[in-house]
């Protein structure tokens, strides 16, 4: 059984595991709202729109997490503001707004990359490099996870109500737009954590796949979140083992495993017919 | 004890005028930017406290828009709306709005009991949880609407009639004095129609005021105190003392 402990004898693997579990927790919890509020496209967009912030931060020697967060917060606020009047026929629909902001920000990131030297220098931003996580990255992820968990607990009833009945949330003064903005900001925090694990391109998988898997097994919010976290952590732990013993890229292996769990769960549900 | 600063959007902070009608609209006009013709034009009427008014009219006449405007979901471009003598939104913990079924995201993972408990949230406010009194109100409401057996079911499993009962249960659980009901009998079975009629009659006896949007007043078992005919966004006729 010594082989089971072997990967964790190395500091960079331990830090990588811890960072992945924390980022996985943030993404899996919030992923339930992303899936059931039908915001998967927004999650995908948020991960891609970190690119200009990440590239600028790397070129200037700033913290990558801060660069990604600034980029994502600008995106979240931009989406919320531009689509805020859509229900009253005054704004652009949210999906169209996301499409515009997402591609615009990603294009800006690519342009910035062209000023910054070799494309290879930025490959870790696109595909993640969890095994080189720094203590400051780790602290950022822990802080983001705490903020997400606290918000989900303190605003549980408001987030829940505005998710299934935006009109009623508006009527009683909660404000559906305010809640949507909060969800987008939380998604921004989760995505910045996830980007460090699996990179810009694959982060939305950490948000969507565990929650989509959980949706096949539970119909209440808390059990859904528990299953979503379990799926995410299983993919992360097994993925890091596979990465270590088979020399596979860790981020991509984690995402591929999460997708495999989803397919297995879907197949099992079809077989048992439930 | 409820803490005022935690009330959603200032709800609970204004005392209603006891002499004012439940609802008073004066020359209300509602339109959307970029569309020349207003959806509602110069709508005026009064709903006395304890009265039940039917809002009838063809599809597209503006019935849902009128209810949403009174509920504060759509701003009016001109005119005044008074709810118990206060401006729209000032005392909306006393106003329930029953939307059409399509406006709810039924796929969201909450149980029937939790959905109905949502009617109590306005009395809780930020950072507070519903207490035992709130849960007792929900239990009594589930009993009255005959949905105790499905209380633990997720809302995505409900039939159309059950969805209508669950939405009405939430409106009742709120304990409001003015109910804005958008097509409460639309596509429901006979048992649900009878039950809803009985509940609305009970509410009226208790002095609640109601504005009920409907295609056909004949589908309602209980008589209305008046009928408001809306055509092309304008009130064409107000008839009082109309039986069903």
């Amino acid at each position: 059984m010594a082989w089971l402990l072997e990967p964790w004898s190395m500091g960079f693997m331990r830090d990588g595991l811890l960072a992945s579990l924390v980022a996985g927790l943030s993404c899996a919890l919030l992923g339930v709202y992303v899936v059931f509020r039908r915001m998967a496209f927004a999650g995908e967009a948020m991960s891609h729109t970190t690119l200009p912030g990440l590239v600028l931060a790397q070129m200037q020697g700033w913290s990558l997490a801060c660069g990604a967060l600034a980029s994502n917060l600008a995106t979240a606020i931009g989406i919320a503001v531009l689509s805020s009047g859509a229900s009253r026929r005054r704004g652009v629909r949210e999906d169209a707004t996301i499409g515009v902001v997402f591609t615009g920000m990603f294009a800006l990131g690519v342009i910035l990359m062209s000023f910054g030297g070799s494309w290879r220098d930025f490959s870790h931003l696109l595909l993640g490099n969890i095994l080189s996580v720094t203590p400051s990255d780790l602290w950022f992820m822990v802080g983001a996870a705490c903020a997400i968990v606290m918000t989900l607990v303190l605003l549980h009833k408001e987030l829940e109500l505005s998710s299934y009945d935006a009109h009623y949330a508006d009527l009683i003064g909660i404000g559906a737009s305010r809640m949507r903005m909060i969800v987008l900001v939380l998604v921004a925090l989760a995505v910045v954590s996830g980007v460090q694990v699996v990179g810009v391109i694959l982060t939305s998988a950490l948000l969507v796949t565990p929650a989509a898997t959980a949706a096949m097994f539970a119909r209440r919010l808390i059990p859904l979140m528990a299953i979503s976290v379990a799926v995410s952590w299983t993919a992360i732990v097994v993925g890091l083992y596979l990465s270590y013993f088979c020399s596979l890229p860790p981020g991509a292996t984690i995402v591929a495993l999460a997708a495999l769990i989803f397919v297995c769960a879907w197949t099992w549900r079809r077989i048992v017919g439930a | 004890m409820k803490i005022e600063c935690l009330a959603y959007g200032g709800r609970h902070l204004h005392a209603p005028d006891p002499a004012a009608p439940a609802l008073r609209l004066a020359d209300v006009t509602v339109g959307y930017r970029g569309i020349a013709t207003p959806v509602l034009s110069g709508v005026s009427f009064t709903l006395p406290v304890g009265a039940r008014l039917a809002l009838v009219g063809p599809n597209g006449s503006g019935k849902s828009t009128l209810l949403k405007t009174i509920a504060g979901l759509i701003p009016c471009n001109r005119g005044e709306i008074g709810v118990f003598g206060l401006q729209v939104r000032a005392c909306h913990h006393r106003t329930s709005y029953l939307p059409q079924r399509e406006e709810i995201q039924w796929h969201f993972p909450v149980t029937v009991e939790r959905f109905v408990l949502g009617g109590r949230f306005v009395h809780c406010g930020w950072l507070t949880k519903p207490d035992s009194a709130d849960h007792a109100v929900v239990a009594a409401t589930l009993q009255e609407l005959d949905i105790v057996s499905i209380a633990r079911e997720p809302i995505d499993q409900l039939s159309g009639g059950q969805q209508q009962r669950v939405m009405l249960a939430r409106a009742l659980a709120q304990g409001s004095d003015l109910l804005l009901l958008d097509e409460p009998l639309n596509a429901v079975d006979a048992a649900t129609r009878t039950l809803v009629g009985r509940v609305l009659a009970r509410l009226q006896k208790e002095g609640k005021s109601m504005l009920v949007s409907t295609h056909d007043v004949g589908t309602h078992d209980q008589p209305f105190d008046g009928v408001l005919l809306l055509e092309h966004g304008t009130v064409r006729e107000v008839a009082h003392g109309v039986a069903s």
Side-chain angles (χ1 to χ4, degrees), chain A residues 202-227:
Chain A
L202 298 176
T203 295
S204 64
L206 283 187
L207 271 175
V208 175
T209 311
T213 308
M216 289 185 260
F217 296 96
R219 302 304 300 155
R220 294 186 195 184
L221 217 48
I222 305 302
L224 271 163
M225 287 180 172
I227 296 172

Side-chain angles (χ1 to χ4, degrees), chain B residues 15-240:
Chain B
D17 176 359
L23 193 57
R24 190 183 68 81
L25 275 76
D27 194 28
V28 168
T29 298
V30 177
Y32 295 112
R33 186 180 293 178
I35 300 174
T37 311
V39 182
L40 296 174
S41 180
V43 174
S44 302
F45 68 92
T46 299
L47 175 66
V49 171
R52 192 156 74 117
L53 202 61
L55 179 61
V56 298
N59 285 337
S61 58
K63 300 190 296 292
S64 294
T65 300
L66 178 58
L67 291 178
K68 285 179 183 172
T69 305
I70 297 167
L73 300 173
I74 299 175
C76 61
N77 306 104
R78 200 181 69 216
E80 282 185 8
I81 301 175
V83 181
F84 296 108
L86 299 171
Q87 288 187 333
V88 168
R89 288 179 176 270
C91 68
H92 267 162
H93 59 291
R94 302 185 70 198
T95 307
S96 290
Y97 167 61
L98 184 97
Q100 296 199 17
R101 286 204 296 270
E102 309 82 66
E103 294 180 16
I104 307 283
Q105 305 300 314
W106 294 103
H107 66 274
F108 198 80
V110 287
T111 61
V112 166
E113 190 175 26
R114 183 79 188 167
F115 185 96
V116 177
L117 187 64
R120 302 301 301 167
F121 290 174
V122 68
H123 303 295
C124 302
W126 301 106
L127 307 178
T128 51
K129 282 180 163 184
D131 57 21
S132 55
D134 295 315
H135 285 280
V137 170
V138 169
T141 310
L142 293 172
Q143 189 83 41
E144 181 173 19
L145 270 297
D146 195 21
I147 46 177
V148 175
S149 60
I150 56 168
R152 307 259 166 171
E153 294 288 321
I155 58 171
D156 68 348
Q157 304 289 316
L158 305 180
S159 66
Q162 287 171 329
Q163 288 176 349
Q164 202 68 39
R165 290 187 195 202
V166 166
M167 289 196 302
L168 184 60
R170 184 180 68 181
L172 294 188
Q174 189 179 329
S176 56
D177 298 316
L178 171 64
L179 289 97
L180 308 169
L181 311 176
D182 199 351
E183 306 276 2
L185 299 183
N186 190 21
V188 298
D189 54 65
T192 301
R193 188 178 301 129
T194 305
L195 184 66
V196 171
R198 197 166 63 224
V199 170
L200 297 187
R202 195 264 296 167
L203 290 172
Q204 194 174 13
K205 273 185 191 163
E206 291 176 2
K208 310 288 187 188
S209 314
M210 279 171 265
L211 183 59
V212 184
S213 154
T214 179
H215 276 101
D216 182 4
V217 289
T219 59
H220 290 258
D221 296 339
Q222 305 294 321
F224 285 95
D225 298 305
V227 175
L228 196 70
L229 176 61
L230 201 62
E231 272 186 349
H232 305 299
T234 306
V235 174
R236 295 287 183 205
E237 188 182 337
V238 181
H240 291 285

